[in-house]
Amino acid sequence: MSGQMKHIVESIQDVAQRHPRAIATTVLLSVVTPQLTHWFVNNYRSFLALGRAGIPSNIIGWSIAMMAKPFGRETLSTDMYDRDSNKDFWLDDHSIPERRGDRPRTGWHFLPHRQTNRLPSQDVKERLKAIFGKHAAANPDLLEIAVSPHERMHEAMVIKSSRPSPHKVADHAMREVAHYHPEIDYSLHVTLSPQDCKLVIERGWGERHPLSGTVALPKEYLLVYAPRDDEELDVVERILVATIGYVAGSKEVN
């Protein structure tokens, strides 16, 4: 070893002995940083894959979604509905069978709240769109179509502006009845009565939004999974009709 190289090695050893924690941290970062970078890049891509919603589909929106993540709650328990004093149903228990198969996955981010697999065919998408439009048009005394106050870009059913909100849950939901997500998955966000929420969740047709039950959203605000065939379209249509009845406060829904 040359004298110059020996001097460099001795100098490094001296620094290491005097600053062991700094050296250990530097080595750790050199190993971990590429892995973190890879995770953040993949996480950002998965956020973009969820499509547009109420936050920008860019680095700013991703930052908002990341900051919201710690505030998310679990989505499948139903004890809160058992404790609710409202025991009314808008759904017939016998009309909601157990949903076949496992629940679809939902995104790691919940802004936007979307499912990421088991997506419908183009034909089913078009038929869901038609069902949504049919019921919106058939209930002009209860509903009107407006931009979703939650997603702020998709069309939504909302309580007709001349009609008073029938209960505090409707106010908490910003008078929105339902909307579906036309860009990616064709799942729906709906607001159901507490007992209908329990039925839909327990039979596998949906889950709460992770912010449901907070100041942001009522506990009755659910994601209903996208239908995949005729049978599931029928069930989702029944859920949609129940949603209209509950939020608008009417048992007479067309």
Side-chain angles (χ1 to χ4, degrees):
M1 182 183 297
S2 69
Q4 184 179 14
M5 181 59 69
K6 183 178 180 180
H7 176 71
I8 292 172
V9 171
E10 289 175 348
S11 297
I12 292 173
Q13 290 175 336
D14 180 58
V15 171
Q17 290 171 355
R18 287 189 289 114
H19 304 285
R21 291 183 181 178
I23 294 299
T25 300
T26 300
V27 171
L28 180 62
L29 287 175
S30 70
V31 173
V32 172
T33 297
Q35 296 176 349
L36 281 176
T37 300
H38 180 73
W39 185 89
F40 278 112
V41 168
N42 285 342
N43 187 273
Y44 180 59
R45 288 173 177 166
S46 69
F47 166 75
L48 294 179
L50 296 173
R52 298 181 300 162
I55 59 176
S57 188
N58 56 27
I59 194 74
I60 296 173
W62 176 64
S63 299
I64 294 170
M66 293 290 281
M67 288 187 288
K69 180 67 176 178
F71 297 97
R73 300 181 174 189
E74 61 81 31
T75 60
L76 299 178
S77 65
T78 59
D79 57 312
M80 63 193 68
Y81 307 120
D82 291 328
R83 296 193 299 268
D84 198 291
S85 60
N86 182 354
K87 302 302 181 183
D88 294 336
F89 282 89
W90 268 255
L91 283 169
D92 179 355
D93 175 79
H94 300 293
S95 71
I96 307 297
E98 294 282 344
R99 186 176 181 275
R100 291 175 285 105
D102 296 333
R103 296 176 187 271
R105 293 191 304 270
T106 53
W108 185 89
H109 308 87
F110 56 77
L111 296 178
H113 187 208
R114 301 289 189 269
Q115 69 184 71
T116 59
N117 68 340
R118 306 193 177 186
L119 304 179
S121 66
Q122 188 59 38
D123 176 62
V124 172
K125 290 178 180 179
E126 292 298 326
R127 291 165 67 189
L128 176 64
K129 180 179 179 180
I131 287 170
F132 193 90
K134 177 185 73 174
H135 288 289
N139 294 281
D141 294 336
L142 303 177
L143 306 172
E144 57 193 31
I145 295 295
V147 175
S148 167
H150 299 294
E151 302 252 343
R152 293 183 288 181
M153 59 186 311
H154 304 309
E155 285 190 345
M157 294 179 184
V158 300
I159 299 173
K160 190 177 180 67
S161 55
S162 60
R163 188 179 181 89
S165 295
H167 43 68
K168 292 181 179 179
V169 174
D171 287 330
H172 195 173
M174 302 172 71
R175 294 173 58 89
E176 181 179 292
V177 176
H179 66 260
Y180 67 96
H181 307 122
E183 288 195 330
I184 302 294
D185 62 342
Y186 275 68
S187 62
L188 303 90
H189 276 124
V190 306
T191 302
L192 288 164
S193 75
Q195 305 315 310
D196 288 345
C197 287
K198 176 181 172 66
L199 182 64
V200 166
I201 292 173
E202 290 184 345
R203 298 205 176 162
W205 293 94
E207 62 185 61
R208 272 187 308 283
H209 191 287
L211 292 180
S212 294
T214 70
V215 67
L217 295 168
K219 69 181 187 300
E220 295 83 1
Y221 188 85
L222 302 189
L223 178 79
V224 173
Y225 305 133
R228 298 167 290 182
D229 54 30
D230 289 346
E231 178 187 351
E232 293 190 2
L233 275 166
D234 288 344
V235 173
V236 169
E237 183 170 9
R238 292 175 204 134
I239 293 172
L240 183 62
V241 170
T243 298
I244 295 169
Y246 172 64
V247 179
S250 175
K251 292 287 187 178
E252 302 299 324
V253 177
N254 299 313

